[in-house]
Structures are given as C-alpha cells and as structure tokens.
Amino acid sequence: MTKRTTYSVQAPGAVVMVRPHHFTVNTETAADNSFQVMHDDDADLAAIAYAEITATARTLQDHGVTVHLFEDEGKVTPDSVFPNNWFSTHAGGHVAIYPMKAESRRRERRADVIEMLKTRYRVQDIIDYSGLEPDGLFLEGTGAMVLDHIDRVAYAARSDRTDPIALERFCTHFNFEPMVFDACDEQGVPVYHTNVLMCVATDFAMIGLDMIASERRRAEIVMRLKRSGRDVIALTNDQIRRFAGNALELQGQSGRILALSATALAALDREQVKAIGAFAEPVALNIQTIEKAGGSVRCTLAGIHLTCR
C-alpha cells in the first residue's frame, strides 16, 4: 500500500513520561498481569529503571519528539512510569481521565500534568471518569483501549480493567466505535491490557491474532484494519510475551518512528521489521528493568494529540 503523507493524526509528536525514583514491581496488580516478573530484590532496580527512562526520553528527543518528563519521587505509586493508563488526549482539545482498578494506581493521577497540558496546549474540556471506581467500573486508558484516531475505532480486549459500560461512555463522548473482543494466552489467562496485544499505526497494525479467542471476531478485526488502509502484521504469542505488540508510532523530526523496546525488536523477524520500516523507522529502547513491571515502551508514553498554544 502507499504510505500516507508525513503528518498523521495517529502519530503524536509529543508525549508525557514519568521518571520514577523508587521503581519497584507492583504486587497489587500481579494477580491479573501475567507479564509481570516478581521483584528479585535487586538493590539497583530503582536506579536502573531511572536510567532507562532517562535514556528513553533522550533518544526520543534526539528523534525530534517533544518529551514532557515528570518526576515521581514518591514510594506509593509503583506503576507511575505508565502514565498512559490514567489519562489520554484527543484532537479538538479533549482530555479524558480514567478509572483505575488498583487503588495504588489511582494515586498516579497528577494535577501538575493536567496543568501543563492546559498551559502548553489548547484544552477545551476534561472528562473525568474516575468517579466510576466505587462502582467497580474500570477503563485503564490507552492500555485498555488501542485507538485508531483515523478511522475512529476503539479496539478493546475484555478484562477486569476494561469494563464495557465505561468503554461505551468513553466512545460516546469521544466519537469512537467500540470493537470489543476476548483475548487470552495459552493457559487461558485473559490479556490484562489491549496494548500488549496490538499496536495501530498510520499505515500498519501489529496484532497477536492467535490470542483472540473467536475465529470470527479475529477475521472481523483483520478486515476492519485492512479496510482502514493498513497492512496487518501478525505477531506470535511468543512475540507478544516479549512485548512486540506494545509499541507506539510517533512523529519525529524526519518522519514517523515506531518506538518499541529492544526486547520487542529482537523478537521480530526480518520480514516483520522490513514491513514496519516501509512506513516508520523502528527505534529500539532499552527498558528491560521497566518491563519487569508488566509493561513496555508503549505503556510509558502518554501521547499528546492536542494543538500547541
């Protein structure tokens, strides 16, 4: 297929990142996140994670991506390095704040991040769904949903962190069509977040098709992605476990890049890398320590789809 024009509403040119000073693996979220690796009591864990985020931010900036880097010096928010779960931004000046399942994750919401968005970008309104938490209705942002900003589709794998009622409300407010499906690993464990399973870029999509339980639904998703003009790159279950689906397309200074971890890039075969490279430059980022918490590069990046002031 033909590569779209350089600018794309799918690929943000700016992101929010959070640099943790006391990184650790969150034991509260381990019950439904099979991607987590339990803490090995490595005394250097926090220092290494700090260095990984520092280097990741610098690499993205070197490629022309604007990085708004916030510090987390506290010890009560072990997953703060994954800000994409508690807020998202959308063209037209819209911001969403999400209901989180784990109580420790609810403390990640920060007024200073929202104030920065309102100061640096044109923000028209903020819709806060966090009031759904007492009712047990959770929707963990662009972890729970993988958004097609071009074709207006919200892909969502069912889980305790992706409630259909909360999803429907978001889609109604933000003009997305929900496309819900069931996905699980070989042991039958549901995938906790959709963004470890798939990545939707401007001209291609990467997705772990074998994890989608229904053959019919799998075919419908592939058809929908192809109908939107994208090449579909199928990922194996092993590649998903190595975070190959947890990537984010960004707008760099010289064109679009695909930010993914070094672990993820090493898991891809030559043809898959070539297919990606036809549309975006793969940029491998070393965050092996961060990945112990069950998320990878995409989880660390909250894309900004707002217009600068």
Side-chain angles (χ1 to χ4, degrees):
M1 60 169 286
T2 303
K3 184 175 180 178
R4 304 179 205 243
T5 55
T6 300
Y7 175 78
S8 168
V9 299
Q10 187 68 20
V15 297
V16 167
M17 297 183 68
V18 176
R19 180 163 52 189
H21 291 237
H22 302 282
F23 174 81
T24 187
V25 176
N26 190 351
T27 56
E28 187 183 10
T29 59
D32 63 349
N33 183 348
S34 62
F35 290 79
Q36 284 187 210
V37 177
M38 294 314 295
H39 197 306
D40 56 5
D41 293 325
D42 185 347
D44 295 327
L45 198 67
I48 296 171
Y50 180 96
E52 287 178 352
I53 291 300
T54 302
T56 293
R58 184 182 302 118
T59 299
L60 294 178
Q61 290 169 330
D62 289 345
H63 281 82
V65 177
T66 298
V67 177
H68 300 284
L69 185 60
F70 288 79
E71 307 294 334
D72 179 19
E73 299 181 8
K75 298 181 180 180
V76 297
T77 49
D79 281 330
S80 63
V81 70
F82 304 135
N84 79 305
N85 297 141
W86 71 263
F87 82 97
S88 66
T89 64
H90 304 266
H94 310 294
V95 177
I97 298 176
Y98 295 102
M100 310 287 283
K101 180 184 176 183
E103 290 190 17
S104 61
R105 300 221 59 192
R106 299 170 191 177
R107 296 191 289 264
E108 296 171 23
R109 295 188 285 254
R110 300 174 55 149
D112 57 348
V113 171
I114 301 302
E115 286 304 311
M116 182 279 293
L117 293 175
K118 293 193 292 186
T119 301
R120 297 284 299 272
Y121 300 91
R122 297 188 182 278
V123 174
Q124 178 177 308
D125 56 25
I126 299 171
I127 300 180
D128 188 349
Y129 298 102
S130 62
L132 296 174
E133 288 167 351
D135 296 320
L137 305 178
F138 311 120
L139 184 68
E140 296 188 343
T142 53
M145 306 174 289
V146 172
L147 301 177
D148 178 351
H149 294 271
I150 298 172
D151 215 37
R152 311 305 297 176
V153 180
Y155 295 93
R158 288 185 184 89
S159 76
D160 290 343
R161 308 191 194 192
T162 308
D163 183 88
I165 295 174
L167 175 66
E168 191 67 40
R169 290 191 187 183
F170 166 83
C171 288
T172 298
H173 289 148
F174 287 85
N175 191 31
F176 282 89
E177 173 193 347
M179 194 153 196
V180 183
F181 55 94
D182 293 302
C184 57
D185 62 20
E186 297 95 324
Q187 285 72 45
V189 178
V191 174
Y192 81 104
H193 271 167
T194 313
N195 75 358
V196 298
L197 176 73
M198 67 184 297
C199 161
V200 175
T202 302
D203 298 303
F204 64 93
M206 304 161 64
I207 180 169
L209 294 174
D210 292 341
M211 287 188 169
I212 299 175
S214 167
E215 186 175 338
R216 178 178 178 180
R217 195 58 165 162
R218 189 186 315 151
E220 290 171 345
I221 291 170
V222 170
M223 181 174 65
R224 188 58 187 269
L225 289 167
K226 288 184 175 180
R227 198 168 73 198
S228 70
R230 292 178 170 89
D231 289 351
V232 176
I233 301 172
L235 301 175
T236 66
N237 288 7
D238 181 63
Q239 289 174 328
I240 293 297
R241 277 192 296 271
R242 295 164 69 186
F243 297 106
N246 196 243
L248 181 65
E249 184 186 51
L250 299 169
Q251 181 65 49
Q253 188 171 12
S254 302
R256 294 194 295 273
I257 66 172
L258 184 71
L260 75 173
S261 74
T263 303
L265 185 59
L268 298 173
D269 64 37
R270 184 177 301 177
E271 289 304 312
Q272 290 170 322
V273 174
K274 182 179 178 181
I276 294 167
F279 305 112
E281 176 192 354
V283 175
L285 303 160
N286 184 5
I287 61 165
Q288 290 180 338
T289 298
I290 299 294
E291 287 177 328
K292 292 182 179 182
S296 190
V297 166
R298 197 277 169 263
C299 299
T300 67
L301 306 174
I304 299 179
H305 296 267
L306 301 170
T307 303
C308 290
R309 284 190 175 277

